[in-house]
Amino acid sequence: MSDPNAASRPVQAVVLAGGQGSRLRPYTDDRPKPMVEIPGTGTPIIGHQLSWLAEEGVTDVVVSCGHLAEVLQKWLETADLPVSVTTVVESEPLGRGGGLKYAAAHLPHPDQPWYATNGDIWTRFSLRDMADFHAERDAIATLALARPRLPWGAVQTDGFGRITDFIEAPPSTFEINAGVYVFSPEFAGLLPRRGDHERTTFPRLARERRLAGFTIPQGSYWRAIDTAKDLTEAAKELAALGR
């Protein structure tokens, strides 16, 4: 039986892989952040991302390079990749929104929707479900939302101020932008040529009620790899999950 939603799901994606990764030094002294390997996995972050995208029906990916672009490009040229990959490098800094617009201009199907992900995100959940959510809400852009675990322990108290429990690294009560997106074709035209779309395009779409938020399902793995501690924690978590 055919899936009626399949035709509206993206088959193309952008991976934003141009950041400096300064908080991950010394790991990023000789490679860009997406090329950093989670200890014990044998796979750089971007290798995991490309496999995940392929499993979710993506066939074409544009990788936006920056810091140490040649290292990432060499790996992409020699690796056995599950998708067709094109790389682009900004000739001048364009900002997050401008960089996204520049990369989107190289997608093979400009009249079709597309996924995007930050190059430092290690996650697994159904992009197909997120794409269906996006289509059902007639959104121009949909953000994946996560509840990261706090880096501190929390304390519970009762109505009299007595401590009743200690909770180690509880999930945040707030949802955050998880760095994974679904965009409709017209989104690229709303991006600034230079600057930050999270200060311009996203607030405008939110006011117009055309910006949706898809909560990553409970139990799905998500972590942004931003510091050396994140690498260590991700290795422990993935080992516990048997991945």
Side-chain angles (χ1 to χ4, degrees):
M1 184 175 177
S2 62
D3 186 339
N5 296 319
S8 65
R9 294 173 186 150
V11 295
Q12 55 187 357
V14 168
V15 175
L16 296 173
Q20 291 285 331
S22 56
R23 295 176 65 193
L24 260 175
R25 288 178 177 155
Y27 298 99
T28 51
D29 283 345
D30 62 353
R31 70 195 64 193
K33 189 192 288 191
M35 282 299 299
V36 172
E37 180 183 315
I38 307 295
T41 67
T43 306
I45 298 169
I46 194 165
H48 164 86
Q49 291 182 325
L50 295 176
S51 295
W52 176 48
L53 290 168
E55 289 169 10
E56 294 295 326
V58 172
T59 58
D60 293 270
V61 176
V62 176
V63 178
S64 178
C65 307
H67 174 64
L68 296 174
E70 64 281 0
V71 177
L72 178 53
Q73 288 172 320
K74 183 176 180 180
W75 182 84
L76 290 168
E77 288 168 3
T78 57
D80 183 15
L81 302 176
V83 292
S84 175
V85 173
T86 301
T87 60
V88 297
V89 182
E90 299 169 23
S91 57
E92 57 179 333
L94 299 175
R96 290 192 296 177
L100 194 58
K101 188 182 189 78
Y102 181 68
H106 293 80
L107 288 167
H109 311 290
D111 59 339
Q112 295 179 19
W114 45 293
Y115 297 116
T117 181
N118 296 343
D120 59 356
I121 302 298
W122 190 281
T123 187
R124 280 287 168 118
F125 63 90
S126 174
L127 285 175
R128 291 181 173 91
D129 287 350
M130 185 176 172
D132 293 346
F133 179 94
H134 171 83
E136 288 163 3
R137 280 146 188 83
D138 193 28
I140 291 179
T142 296
L143 287 61
L145 305 177
R147 292 186 186 274
R149 291 196 169 274
L150 299 177
W152 315 281
V155 177
Q156 278 189 337
T157 60
D158 63 17
F160 295 97
R162 291 184 293 243
I163 292 175
T164 59
D165 201 3
F166 294 89
I167 306 170
E168 184 64 30
S172 167
T173 56
F174 292 98
E175 292 180 315
I176 66 163
N177 179 351
V180 180
Y181 312 91
V182 182
F183 296 134
S184 293
E186 60 265 43
F187 179 76
L190 302 177
L191 286 164
R193 194 185 73 80
R194 185 190 302 271
D196 189 351
H197 61 294
E198 295 194 10
R199 296 180 181 272
T200 56
T201 311
F202 279 174
R204 172 184 163 188
L205 290 175
R207 289 192 297 270
E208 296 173 356
R209 299 296 188 266
R210 302 297 301 278
L211 186 66
F214 175 82
T215 300
I216 295 175
Q218 189 172 2
S220 298
Y221 187 76
W222 178 89
R223 180 177 280 276
I225 308 298
D226 198 39
T227 66
K229 184 178 180 182
D230 290 326
L231 276 177
T232 303
E233 293 299 317
K236 291 178 184 175
E237 292 162 353
L238 292 168
L241 292 169
R243 296 178 183 174

